[in-house]
Every structure is written in C-alpha cells, then in structure tokens.
Amino acid sequence: MNEGTSSTGRSSAADGTPIDPPASFVARANVTDGSLRDAFAERWPECWDRAADFLDWTSPYDRVLDAANGYDWFAGGTLNASYNCVDRHVEAGRKSHAALKWEGCLGETRTYTYHDLYREVNALAAALRARGVEAGDVVTTYMPVLPELPVTMLACARLGAVHSVVFAGYSADALAMRLADTGSTCLLTCDGYYRRGTAHDLKRKADNACLDVPQSVDRLIVDRLDDDRTYGDNYVEYATLVDEYGGETVDPVPREATDPLFVIYTSGTTGRPKAVRHTTGGYLAQVAWTSHAVLDLEPGDTHLCSADVGWITGHSYVVYGPLALGATTVLYEGTPDYPERDHLWGIVERNAVDVFYTAPSVIRAFMKWGAEYPERHDLSSLRLLGTVGEPVDETTWRWYYDHIANGECPIVDTWWQTETGGILVSTLPGVDPMRPGAAGPPLPGVSADVLGPRGTSVDAGEAGSLVLTRPCPGMAVGLGESTGEAPADWRYVTGDAAAVGADGYIRLLGREGNALNVAGRRLGTREIEAAIVGVEGIAEAAVVGVEGPQRDTALYAYVTPQRDAGPVSPLRERVREAVAAAIGGFAAPDVVVFTPDLPKTRSGKVLRRHLRRIADGEAVSDTGSLRNPEIVGELESIVDSVS
Ligand code: 6R9
C-alpha cells in the first residue's frame, strides 16, 4: 500500500532540502495566505483578534492586550469555555455530530454527540453546584482517559470553577501535593483502570492522598472497572449524580478573559513541581486558533491526539482546541501496542481520523515494530500529521512521512510548552515547506530569538538559548518578565537550546536546565533526585537525561550510598520504588549507577554535564575545575559495566 503510490516527492528530503506541502492538501487547507506572518507582525498585538474571533464572547473585550496590568489579553471581555466548546455547536444545528469518541482498553467504544455532551456537562455542573462548587473553586480530577474527564473539565468551566487535572500515572504523594497546594476540596476519580487488559486500582491511591491533606475532600467516583466493589461513605458515584441531575441545565457563568480556566502542574527547575495557571480567554483563543491554523481542524473533522488528557497536550489538543472548533475528538484509554502493535492504526481506520497528533517517541516505537502494522490498515482518511514533545530526528520523520503520511499528508513539528498553553513554533501546513529535523518558524504573531551566553542573538545556525520576545495570548499567567518598557522588553527564557537557520526555521536541540523530556513527558531531575535521597542509606543523587541515537532520552541516576549502607543491590530497587512513590512509575530511572562520589566543582556543585558525557560513553577531558577529578575515570568504568 505504501510503495509507489505517490508522486509527492517522498524521497526528495534525503539531502535536507525542504519538502513542499502536497498540492492536494494546500488546495483545501485552512490557511494558505503566505503573507500572514507579515500581516500579524504589522498589527501586533491587535493581530491576535484573529484568534479571539474563533470564540463567542458574552461581552466584547476592550483591548487585545493590556500591558499596564501585567499582561491581560482581551481585557474587559467575558466568555465561558463550556459554552464555546459545547452549547454553540448545539445551537448551530450540530447536536447530532460526534463530539467525543472513546476507545477503551478492552475494546469498548462510546460516542458522545454534542447533544450528549451538552446533557452530561449540564447534569454534572448541576451536581457540582449542588455540592457547593462555585466560580473560582479548584476541582481536582484523577482519572485515566475516560469521557468523564473532559465532561468534568467542561462542567467546571461552565461553573467558572478551575480544574486541576492530575495524570492518573502520578502517585498518591504527587496527588496529595497538588490537592494541598490548590486547597481543592472536590476530587473526581475512578475506581481503577485497565492497562494491557489488567485492572489497576486507582481509588486506593486517591484515598491515601486524601488522608494526607489538611482539608476535607468531597469525592466523586466513576465506576470504570464495573466490578462488585463498594466505595464507602466517602464517595458518591458519578453515574448516580448524573442520573439525579439529568435534565437540569446550568447557565454558563461568564468569566473575565483573564480569569483562570485551569491549573496544571509541571516540572520546573526545583525539587517541586510548579503550578501553571491558564486563562479563559487568551488560552482558549490560542488553542482554537492553532487547532485551526496548524492542525487544520474544521468542524466535522475527526482528530486523534494520542496524549493523555492529564498533560498539557491533552488539555489543549484533545479537549479544548478540537471542541472549541466543533470537531470530533477521539480519546483512547490504552497503549499503542495493546492488544496488538497496530492498535492506534485500527483506531485511525475505524474512526476515519483526519488529523493525527503524537509524540516522536511513539513514532520511534512504531518504527521499531515495523511497517507491517500500519500496513494492515487503511489510513487514507488522514490529511495531516503532527508531532510534539521532543525533537524529531530525520530518520523518524521520514518513516512517519513514508509509512503513515504515505507522502500525501504534511507533517507539522510543533514546538510549545505547558507554560505557553498552545503551539508557538511550527510550519503552517498549507503555506510553509517542511524541513525534517527543524520545527519551523515562529507562528504568526510569535517572536523568538536564540541568544548566546552574553544575551545577544547568535549567528544563523549557532546554538543558543531559545527566548520568546513577545507575549502570546495562550501563555500562563505571570510568564516572562520585562526589564524595561513593557511589552517591548518582555522576555521569556524557554529553557530549550536551539539554533535558527538562515531560513528562519528553529531547530530544537534539547532542554538546557534540569527539566527533561522523556517519551514526551516532562520530568524534573531535581524532583527525581529529591525522591532518591529520601531512601535510607543514600547520601546523594544526580539525575541526567542522555539522548539516544534517535533523540530519545534515557534517565541515568548516579547515586552515592552512605558509607555504612551495606550492599548496594537491594538499594537499586528501592531507588526505583521511591521515585514511583513520589512521582509515578513512569519517572523511574532507566539506569541506576552507584558511585562512591559525584564529580564536583571546588564549590561543591555537581557537574551534570560530565555525568551526561560519561553516560554517553564520551571522554571527559575538562576535569580541571573538579575537586575530585579521579572520580571521572572510576565512573567511566562503572558505567561501562552497568549500561
Ligand atoms: C507541549 C509539551 C515542553 C518541552 C519543551 C521542549 C520539548 C516540545 C517540541 C519539543 C523539540 C518539539 N518540546 N515540543 N522539543 N521539538 N516540537 O510537550 O509541553 O510537557 O511542558 O514540554 O518539550 O523541550 O520545552 P511540556
């Protein structure tokens, strides 16, 4: 199926030359105006009204950007996100169109039309209101990818409550920290979930987390496992409430554009995750606009974003972006290779998916398993493919283009962060040529620069630090800073290393500081280290990410046991368990290296770049600044023997 069927220049990029978007795509793309970047630049910041136009406002905003009071986008305007994602599509006569399609881990399917979604969001909002939830309150969710999760997010938005979605892979401790930090007094969770066909308990983790927080928490529970378990007095069943309040409607509460829509925690540079707050107007405008301009979604399209709703990618491009535009969003609960390695492609075929958005690590896994799995399926419904979360190496890009795009769909390599809310760097798929390995130019209205150590722009092609030089509507509250006159001197240091080519395309080179991206998930090395040094018998730990040949990242933990700790082999498991307990199993290090010492400067700073090189098998030459240079040779031989 994939051989010789296309004349769209499948192999033309072998030498790094750009690939034009296929003409068949351009002919029907949402954005085909090549002068859009210039047009936005001339009218900045007013240009962002184009994004706001994708929303229905209860009352119009006074100004696109008010820099006097921090950075208030669409100040004075009011709107409701639930109205924008649900009601207006029902009112426009699209009530019988599918809003959500869900595929469960056991092969179950559920479809919610926009009308079904309207009913359930209203019923749950009525139930939450009756339980005391008001505008501004924080409601926490802790569940896997079930339809009840977006329903809850939208029910919160309807009331003006702020949601805090906690990824179900996080541990009880991680949930407790988030509950305590927001002071949230309402939690929606589920009894458990299936992974690779096996049931896992979630309620026990939720119970433990609630025991660990000062406030009392009202708990609602979804029955996912459908077993005989009873939940006890602390829980009310989601289904019972939705039944009881079925048929009730709740008027969407108008929110200021600058009011928070949700809070999400992400790894920062410290040992503790940080709370990132996103606004109702600016965030929703940015995700709706980028879903239109970059993901090319239209009402009636079916979109599959493989991210878990618990991450920002799921918030923006499983839930808010596609639903704001009236598209159909496909949620899948499982893993790409269960029950078989063609599982995702089966979902694409069964749902005639138009746009597919995933992480490079997922594509690399498919590449390893082989082209026979996608070849089992008719993928001809696909129109556009996207990647996010990590750099894509050229080999992976080309495999995606040849075997999934069949040379007929453009690929957008989209760069953005939890903090930016939506995509900021990408090609416009109907306008810009693709350059495998480079994400693309900044989107219209977005300004970025790559700075060297002295804070000045580096030459084309040189590596430096990626800095955003203008704020965007989707950015988190309080992001960046102004050194002089705002917004002209506004800067946000992204923490990513990058280089810009003479063509203006940004090539991402990886994280600079203590945050890592492993399989598309953001992890803080400081958080992992904090968990490891909590293990009895361990004195010190340093965690680094090491890039593999295809730009996938492996986690190495260098661990120094206390002198009297005894044999180290039992410690290895304890290290992994401690990380699983503090954060979640997905954050456990791939390699644990025990060492009598860590390479340190005279002032006692651990030199992580040496540790990275050692893990990479590269020679460390610049040991001059070390207090203990002899440890380098020792570590090289230890790593040699464990990895
Ligand atoms: C959306 C998301 C953000 C970090 C970011 C960068 C990396 C994201 C990328 C990319 C290269 C891309 N990243 N997109 N690197 N190319 N297209 O992933 O948010 O979890 O906060 O991670 O992911 O390092 O700084 P988040």
Side-chain angles (χ1 to χ4, degrees):
M1 178 188 107
N2 289 313
E3 289 311 312
T5 50
S6 153
S7 58
T8 41
R10 174 175 311 159
S11 58
S12 67
D15 54 359
T17 47
I19 307 175
D20 284 329
S24 54
F25 178 86
V26 177
R28 50 168 301 193
N30 283 343
V31 174
T32 51
D33 175 4
S35 63
L36 202 63
R37 282 193 177 81
D38 291 343
F40 266 60
E42 275 162 33
R43 288 184 58 243
W44 196 91
E46 280 73 31
C47 56
W48 283 103
D49 58 5
R50 174 102 183 234
D53 285 348
F54 280 88
L55 306 179
D56 277 11
W57 296 79
T58 324
S59 57
Y61 49 88
D62 306 321
R63 241 163 316 157
V64 169
L65 175 64
D66 182 350
N69 181 24
Y71 294 92
D72 291 351
W73 289 90
F74 312 122
T78 62
L79 76 166
N80 182 279
S82 164
Y83 176 83
N84 273 281
C85 291
V86 188
D87 304 41
R88 63 170 173 161
H89 307 311
V90 173
E91 289 167 9
R94 310 193 55 252
K95 67 179 194 303
S96 59
H97 290 227
L100 305 177
K101 286 182 167 183
W102 175 78
E103 293 219 1
C105 183
L106 305 181
E108 320 93 309
T109 57
R110 283 159 71 185
T111 298
Y112 282 63
T113 63
Y114 272 99
H115 192 65
D116 296 334
L117 187 61
Y118 175 83
R119 268 200 291 235
E120 195 159 317
V121 167
N122 271 285
L124 183 64
L128 290 174
R129 185 174 59 185
R131 302 183 78 77
V133 174
E134 292 177 6
D137 291 352
V138 179
V139 173
T140 304
T141 69
Y142 185 51
M143 57 176 104
V145 178
L146 301 174
E148 287 82 357
L149 181 48
V151 169
T152 305
M153 294 160 78
L154 294 165
C156 290
R158 199 168 191 84
L159 295 168
V162 177
H163 57 71
S164 167
V165 173
V166 180
F167 171 55
Y170 276 122
S171 63
D173 285 0
L175 172 61
M177 176 267 163
R178 287 156 176 76
L179 280 168
D181 197 54
T182 56
S184 175
T185 55
C186 181
L187 173 69
L188 282 95
T189 186
C190 70
D191 52 350
Y193 58 92
Y194 293 99
R195 197 153 169 90
R196 300 188 178 281
T198 309
H200 290 264
D201 193 357
L202 197 66
K203 178 179 173 287
R204 193 160 33 100
K205 291 205 276 178
D207 284 338
N208 288 341
C210 290
L211 286 176
D212 242 20
V213 297
Q215 72 269 32
S216 71
V217 181
D218 186 30
R219 286 171 245 179
L220 277 58
I221 189 163
V222 175
D223 178 9
R224 166 67 185 111
L225 299 182
D226 197 18
D227 52 15
D228 300 333
R229 185 171 178 187
T230 50
Y231 305 125
D233 293 344
N234 284 328
Y235 286 88
V236 184
E237 264 201 66
Y238 175 101
T240 313
L241 283 177
V242 164
D243 252 9
E244 192 181 330
Y245 290 88
E248 286 204 23
T249 54
V250 172
D251 289 338
V253 176
R255 301 290 281 161
E256 296 285 336
T258 50
D259 280 339
L261 177 62
F262 64 87
V263 58
I264 182 165
Y265 284 80
T266 190
S267 300
T269 51
T270 67
R272 241 177 110 78
K274 61 174 180 186
V276 172
R277 216 168 295 277
H278 280 292
T279 62
T280 309
Y283 169 82
L284 201 61
Q286 181 123 22
V287 299
W289 156 247
T290 48
S291 296
H292 167 86
V294 180
L295 298 182
D296 200 58
L297 286 177
E298 300 176 67
D301 270 350
T302 299
H303 178 54
L304 170 58
C305 165
S306 74
D308 193 289
V309 176
W311 306 105
I312 190 69
T313 306
H315 281 59
S316 301
Y317 298 110
V318 176
V319 181
Y320 285 113
L323 295 180
L325 295 186
T328 304
T329 185
V330 181
L331 297 117
Y332 97 106
E333 184 192 33
T335 36
D337 58 341
Y338 183 86
E340 278 237 54
R341 289 173 168 179
D342 65 344
H343 184 56
L344 263 183
W345 311 124
I347 296 179
V348 170
E349 179 173 4
R350 282 190 291 282
N351 297 286
V353 168
D354 297 276
V355 178
F356 176 63
Y357 192 39
T358 195
S361 57
V362 174
I363 307 166
R364 283 192 293 264
F366 284 124
M367 199 163 79
K368 195 172 74 197
W369 300 330
E372 64 195 86
Y373 296 102
E375 276 165 13
R376 286 183 192 168
H377 296 277
D378 175 2
L379 305 181
S380 60
S381 62
L382 290 171
R383 184 172 87 243
L384 176 78
L385 304 178
T387 66
V388 57
E390 299 151 282
V392 204
D393 61 287
E394 287 190 37
T395 314
T396 306
W397 193 98
R398 197 142 303 114
W399 190 91
Y400 200 28
Y401 196 57
D402 289 348
H403 295 282
I404 309 302
N406 195 26
E408 287 162 359
C409 313
I411 296 176
V412 284
D413 174 354
T414 65
W415 178 92
W416 57 293
Q417 305 179 310
T418 305
E419 293 87 338
T420 71
I423 301 167
L424 292 191
V425 175
S426 169
T427 51
L428 289 167
V431 174
D432 303 313
M434 300 171 272
R435 293 176 187 272
L443 288 182
V446 178
S447 300
D449 201 355
V450 175
L451 304 183
R454 283 194 204 84
T456 51
S457 307
V458 297
D459 292 338
E462 302 258 309
S465 184
L466 181 67
V467 172
L468 301 174
T469 52
R470 273 176 173 172
C472 296
M475 285 180 181
V477 179
L479 200 68
E481 50 199 32
S482 231
T483 47
E485 195 172 322
D489 288 319
W490 182 91
R491 291 282 176 280
Y492 166 63
V493 180
T494 66
D496 281 347
V500 198
D503 51 19
Y505 278 45
I506 298 176
R507 203 170 277 273
L508 279 309
L509 304 172
R511 296 288 309 186
E512 284 184 318
N514 308 314
L516 290 177
N517 273 66
V518 179
R521 285 166 183 173
R522 177 132 151 219
L523 295 173
T525 52
R526 294 286 193 262
E527 282 166 60
I528 302 173
E529 288 162 7
I532 297 175
V533 296
V535 174
E536 207 183 305
I538 285 177
E540 218 180 359
V543 171
V544 295
V546 181
E547 229 176 61
Q550 281 167 336
R551 312 211 59 182
D552 44 332
T553 304
L555 272 186
Y556 275 65
Y558 291 87
V559 178
T560 312
Q562 278 160 4
R563 218 157 293 193
D564 52 359
V568 294
S569 45
L571 281 180
R572 194 180 305 274
E573 212 28 54
R574 265 178 247 150
V575 162
R576 297 176 57 85
E577 281 165 12
V579 177
I583 303 168
F586 65 95
D590 299 292
V591 181
V592 181
V593 181
F594 288 101
T595 167
D597 204 356
L598 297 169
K600 285 183 190 152
T601 61
R602 293 198 170 77
S603 60
K605 257 181 83 175
V606 176
L607 273 179
R608 287 183 169 68
R609 73 187 145 87
H610 287 348
L611 294 174
R612 242 174 262 130
R613 289 184 73 91
I614 293 168
D616 252 345
E618 288 176 35
V620 177
S621 47
D622 50 339
T623 53
S625 58
L626 291 181
R627 183 177 73 192
N628 52 350
E630 68 287 349
I631 194 64
V632 168
E634 202 170 326
L635 263 174
E636 283 170 347
S637 54
I638 301 176
V639 169
D640 236 15
S641 63
V642 296
S643 53

